Amino acid sequence: MTAPLRLAVVTDIHHGPAKMTKKGDAAIGLLGEFVAHANRATPDFAVDLGDRISDIDAETDRRLESEVAAVFADVQVPRLHMLGNHDLVHLDRDANADVLGVDTHHRVVEAGEIRLLLWQADVNIDWHSGLLARDADLDWLRETLASDDRPTVILSHVPLDNASMEGNYYFQNNPQFAGYRNGHAIRRVLRESGNVIACIAGHTHWNRLSTLDGIPFITVQSLTESFTTEGEASAAFAEFEIDESIRWRTVGNDPIDMTLPRRGHNHRWIKPLPPFADLLRTRGQDLSGVRGLILDLDGVVYRGNEPVPGAADFLRAQRAAGRRLLALTNNAQNDAEHYAAKLAAMGIEFPAADILTAGEATAHLLVREGCPTVQAIGSPALHRALAAHGIGESDMPEIVVVGMTGEATMAELMTAVGHLGRGARLLATNPDTRLPVEGGGVTAECGALIAFLESASGRTAEVVGKPNKFIYELALQRLGLPARDVLMVGDTPETDIAGAVNAGLRSALVATGNADDDRIVPTVRVAGLSELGSLLVW
């Protein structure tokens, strides 16, 4: 087996006066410890990732660079030096090369079966816009990676992953200076080359790992940084061994030790999913296999007392196609017979047996819970539904049931507040705050009464109607169909569509009722029932 590639790495030495959290006055002594370690360990290369000094002026910077170079001169293995942004404030590339005695341009270093790419991309910071790798830098990187398919390690001063800087002393509030603005383009080059097995950098003054598309991006802690080490210089430098795996160890006062898998040639992770919102928008748009429809009424089939254009034709066509239909309304102010008669007056046939109201669903839920006693605030239709299912009303109720009614009195509401204060539950037929009416207007709904009772009592209402899964399960029982075969058609995202998602139904949002809400995504969005009819196929 080929011997592993071994690197000793130091970065962000920042020789010079102590500044901010950098203990630059300790740099030379700490760098001497790195050199002694490298000479004992005899790695293949001793690597300096840049920012050897804290810049002051041209004359001082050259002196500081020379003092650092004098320590590096004692290294007994081949040395590789990168340029950092502080190294280039007052000294140019050639001056750095002259002091260090090395080439400071892009170059490739052969290391057995592995290539090292010293990517000396532009590190000059624009204090308005941050860092930008030049086109020429990207071209060199692309062409060099394409020229040889051997496994390659990229060395750079600035990290190439654009990772989160949350918690970083320097860069949490200045992330534009922590990575390249065109980092996405850089990573695309690395990804498409198929042969990059690791990227190693400094600059951000902490130990950091992120793995993107199988490539580990490793950032090594600064030699003199103290923000992670309670005011003491980190004294950090790193060792790498790379063969079938990548072993990374940072020593000093901010240690890390880990082993990473090595990326195979052209190995890529599975392509990431698109945004969930996009998935939900496209999921099931063929609408094949729909055998039943649950339809909201207000805003879908009619508005107020006016039918929605095309509604009657749509419903006739669906019945002719053999689909089973059920109307599901959160409006508990009337019963199924009322809605059937209302629809008939508009020329729309819809039997009362195929209409389920939130009021009736509330009665079914109370039966399931053992017919507790209630105080009911709501329409005569709600009171009739409760009575028909054996739900008794009481002066000391276990539950306060509330549905919309224009006849509610303040006395009733205050009595309810008293019951809630004594521990009664608050059960509401539906959460809607408004109801669409003809002419494009709206009127108040049950949510307005819920808000009053919750505010006055401190209790939270349990809602029976949409989007509660219970009312959809009741509707599916009426249809005699499984959820996978049923499409919910509604106009209100937060009730109709959210409830369909809760119950595992596909859904169609029509634009003939309430306003859309991009946060809740239906299977399809349509202008109205006529457009939906063209999408329904077997």
Side-chain angles (χ1 to χ4, degrees), residues 279-302:
L279 283 178
L280 291 170
R281 285 189 183 95
T282 58
R283 184 184 63 186
Q285 284 193 353
D286 61 357
L287 299 183
S288 60
V290 172
R291 296 197 292 144
L293 299 173
I294 299 174
L295 299 113
D296 182 39
L297 290 176
D298 303 300
V300 175
V301 179
Y302 57 74

Side-chain angles (χ1 to χ4, degrees), residues 233-449:
S234 72
F237 52 85
E239 299 173 317
F240 290 90
E241 287 193 1
I242 303 174
D243 45 25
E244 299 307 309
S245 61
I246 299 170
R247 293 175 293 282
W248 165 31
R249 184 168 76 104
T250 293
V251 301
N253 297 323
D254 195 3
I256 194 167
D257 194 339
M258 63 174 61
T259 299
L260 310 170
R262 175 175 145 179
R263 183 184 196 232
H265 185 69
N266 275 323
H267 166 77
R268 292 183 175 89
W269 288 352
I270 296 172
K271 183 179 179 180
L273 283 171
F276 289 149
D278 291 351
L279 283 178
L280 291 170
R281 285 189 183 95
T282 58
R283 184 184 63 186
Q285 284 193 353
D286 61 357
L287 299 183
S288 60
V290 172
R291 296 197 292 144
L293 299 173
I294 299 174
L295 299 113
D296 182 39
L297 290 176
D298 303 300
V300 175
V301 179
Y302 57 74
R303 288 185 67 98
N305 293 313
E306 297 294 328
V308 168
D313 291 340
F314 171 83
L315 295 172
R316 280 193 294 269
Q318 298 311 307
R319 287 195 176 96
R323 293 191 174 94
R324 306 175 74 170
L325 307 181
L326 182 82
L328 179 60
T329 178
N330 263 3
N331 191 331
Q333 297 184 59
N334 294 289
D335 55 24
E337 288 73 17
H338 168 89
Y339 291 113
K342 178 175 181 174
L343 289 163
M346 299 177 191
I348 298 173
E349 179 187 354
F350 222 116
D354 294 335
I355 299 174
L356 176 61
T357 72
E360 186 177 354
T362 300
H364 277 279
L365 180 63
L366 291 169
V367 168
R368 190 182 73 174
E369 295 189 354
C371 298
T373 58
V374 304
Q375 177 200 356
I377 300 173
S379 67
L382 177 60
H383 287 273
R384 288 195 301 271
L386 297 175
H389 288 80
I391 310 300
E393 299 199 37
S394 168
D395 292 335
M396 294 295 291
E398 301 164 74
I399 298 176
V400 172
V401 176
V402 59
M404 186 58 193
T405 174
E407 305 302 319
T409 67
M410 184 56 67
E412 283 183 290
L413 294 172
M414 294 310 297
T415 298
V417 170
H419 295 321
L420 296 170
R422 287 190 291 273
R425 289 165 54 199
L426 177 57
L427 189 67
T429 58
N430 59 295
D432 308 73
T433 58
R434 59 190 179 278
L435 186 69
V437 296
E438 64 272 17
V442 295
T443 187
E445 244 291 355
C446 184
L449 295 181

Side-chain angles (χ1 to χ4, degrees), residues 476-492:
L476 291 171
Q477 289 175 18
R478 289 275 187 96
L479 286 172
L481 293 171
R484 65 178 177 272
D485 293 344
V486 177
L487 177 71
M488 174 69 208
V489 185
D491 69 309
T492 308

Side-chain angles (χ1 to χ4, degrees), residues 90-120:
H90 300 293
L91 302 177
D92 62 15
R93 184 184 299 272
D94 291 339
N96 275 269
D98 180 56
V99 171
L100 293 167
V102 297
D103 185 354
T104 55
H105 292 83
H106 299 310
R107 63 190 180 109
V108 178
V109 175
E110 303 291 337
E113 66 154 344
I114 296 174
R115 293 194 307 164
L116 292 173
L117 262 64
L118 278 65
W119 194 46
Q120 301 275 16

